[in-house]
Amino acid sequence: MTCEDYERRMERAGRAAADAGLAGLIVTPGPDLTWLCGYRPTAVTERLTALVIEPGRRARLLVPVLEQPDAQRSAGAGAGALEVSGWADGADPYAEVAKWVAPEGRYGLSDSTWAMHLLGFQRSLPGSAYAALSEGLPMLRAVKDTHEVARLAAAGAAADATYEEIVRLPFGGRRECDVAADLARLLREHGHSQVDFTIVGSGPNGANPHHEAGERVIEDGDMVVLDFGGLKDGYGSDTTRTVHVGQPDAEERKVHDIVREAQQAAFEAVRPGVACQDIDRVARKVIKAAGYGEYFIHRTGHGIGVTTHEPPYLVEGEHLTLVPGMCFSIEPGIYLPGRFGVRIEDIVTCTESGGRRLNETGREMAVVR
Ligand code: ZN
Ligand code: ZN
Ligand code: ZN
């Protein structure tokens, strides 16, 4: 990403804020800050760092004075589109921000802003109001440019390579957490700088979609849900495959086939103009028709970019329509309590002509040892 990329993003964010009826954006450290101006402080602390973006004005970044040299070197500041200033210990940084913004304005505030900072803004700006950025501007980061899609594809390829190696390792007789450690190691070997999750749900644990990885020893005959991802070059991966230790029985095969069919149908429904909720409906219809509707207990997918969960959400009630450049997961599942679970997840991008998968590895059930 170049200085100009960040300059464009900040300008566009200012315009989008105005279109959404907001006076501007106040963004503290986290994915939105890094995406908007390229600055990622080494630590997120109680000392306030805040980026203020208002339509038609130069963006301003307030940082603790001891971090000012680092902030000054960030890519967004390089273009001159960003004015960086520092505040010293003992000063009131909220009063400083109050000097810049409209006292009665309604601002979009980054979702991850600490409550103590929001309370500080409210104290210094008693007439102000706030909206969570993901609700006020859900489209801010949702449509990716070609560089971003390329990075997501590279992260997807690294996840594919991780999967292809993990299925060659033994499962039976090892603990879930041992397989999870292998997943994390492989993601790093394939270029991930950050591993966000390594879910290994064996047997009945697979029926809990967010089971992490525990002490359970994987047995012959287990279904095992593997859901893993993180960040590579600042962009996310998130893949799920369900494998079986030894030969699966007829019901395990059947449930896996249904989930695979649902995932394929949802993928084929992706094209510009389709509402997010319709992708969810397509997946759900397949699973319901097969008699397992009550066991598909989560939404079909979520957006992905500089974080691994972000808008758009493929969920009933989400009327937002797909736009070329959106990138999201498609991850239907069936969870049979006390028995096993199956989930299949790929990252997909919407193009002019339909969906394109950013995970290419096979979706058939792998038999592991
Ligand atoms: Zn089995
Ligand atoms: Zn996942
Ligand atoms: Zn996911």
Side-chain angles (χ1 to χ4, degrees):
M1 307 296 157
T2 63
C3 305
E4 289 70 30
D5 287 323
Y6 291 114
E7 196 166 353
R8 244 190 323 271
R9 286 177 183 181
M10 289 189 282
E11 263 173 32
R12 211 172 44 154
R15 280 199 304 273
D19 291 345
L22 297 167
L25 310 182
I26 300 178
V27 180
T28 60
D32 292 311
L33 184 75
T34 308
W35 185 84
L36 281 163
C37 73
Y39 178 49
R40 185 198 299 265
T42 44
V44 181
T45 73
E46 73 291 350
R47 288 188 174 107
L48 180 70
T49 290
L51 172 69
V52 176
I53 293 179
E54 289 180 308
R57 289 174 67 178
R58 195 172 173 210
R60 304 183 68 160
L61 179 65
L62 181 71
V63 298
V65 76
L66 67 167
E67 294 167 18
Q68 199 172 344
D70 280 344
Q72 211 86 53
R73 275 192 296 271
S74 70
L82 186 65
E83 185 179 333
V84 180
S85 46
W87 65 275
D89 285 348
D92 179 353
Y94 308 103
E96 206 54 43
V97 171
K99 288 182 205 158
W100 301 350
V101 305
E104 311 270 287
R106 184 162 174 271
Y107 283 84
L109 185 70
S110 43
D111 289 18
S112 57
T113 296
W114 288 12
M116 66 173 282
H117 297 317
L118 171 57
L119 293 168
F121 294 135
Q122 288 176 327
R123 202 165 53 235
S124 287
L125 290 157
S128 61
Y130 301 88
L133 214 47
S134 64
E135 283 172 24
L137 287 182
M139 291 289 281
L140 180 64
R141 293 191 273 109
V143 178
K144 275 67 183 177
D145 66 26
T146 53
H147 303 291
E148 294 184 288
V149 175
R151 290 211 189 179
L152 285 163
D160 284 345
T162 294
Y163 176 70
E164 274 152 31
E165 288 188 43
I166 199 78
V167 293
R168 286 194 241 122
L169 297 176
F171 279 66
R174 297 172 72 213
R175 294 174 306 170
E176 292 174 345
C177 55
D178 299 325
V179 175
D182 281 335
L183 283 170
R185 173 181 58 79
L186 288 167
L187 282 170
R188 288 211 159 84
E189 280 177 20
H190 290 289
H192 279 58
S193 59
Q194 182 179 317
V195 175
D196 286 352
F197 45 86
T198 51
I199 294 175
V200 180
S202 67
N205 288 341
N208 169 7
H210 274 177
H211 171 76
E212 267 282 340
E215 297 287 323
R216 185 177 184 277
V217 175
I218 300 169
E219 295 168 13
D220 195 40
D222 277 352
M223 286 285 236
V224 187
V225 178
L226 305 171
D227 185 348
F228 48 95
L231 299 183
K232 179 181 190 287
D233 292 330
Y235 282 79
S237 67
D238 184 2
T239 304
T240 307
R241 292 291 184 268
T242 303
V243 303
H244 191 272
V245 187
Q247 287 305 318
D249 67 24
E251 192 189 12
E252 289 166 336
R253 265 189 206 289
K254 181 179 142 197
V255 171
H256 193 277
D257 283 348
I258 296 163
V259 173
R260 195 171 151 197
E261 194 191 322
Q263 211 264 358
Q264 180 66 23
F267 168 71
E268 286 171 9
V270 171
R271 62 185 171 277
V274 173
C276 289
Q277 70 173 3
D278 290 330
I279 306 298
D280 181 80
R281 286 178 182 179
V282 167
R284 211 162 291 279
K285 192 174 164 199
V286 172
I287 292 176
K288 212 171 167 182
Y292 288 90
E294 65 183 294
Y295 301 111
F296 177 17
I297 54 177
H298 55 70
R299 65 190 176 208
T300 292
H302 54 81
I304 186 167
V306 294
T307 73
T308 47
H309 276 202
E310 60 186 45
Y313 295 102
L314 308 185
V315 65
E316 183 64 37
E318 181 52 87
H319 299 272
L320 202 68
T321 56
L322 298 182
V323 171
M326 279 183 175
C327 298
F328 44 83
S329 72
I330 295 184
E331 51 176 307
I334 293 176
Y335 307 93
L336 303 177
R339 300 182 60 209
F340 65 89
V342 174
R343 179 166 66 258
I344 300 174
E345 173 178 26
D346 285 325
I347 301 306
V348 170
T349 182
C350 179
T351 75
E352 293 290 353
S353 57
R356 181 188 138 214
R357 292 183 197 269
L358 303 184
N359 290 105
E360 306 284 0
T361 198
R363 279 164 293 281
E364 67 284 353
M365 179 164 41
V367 171
V368 297
R369 63 196 155 93

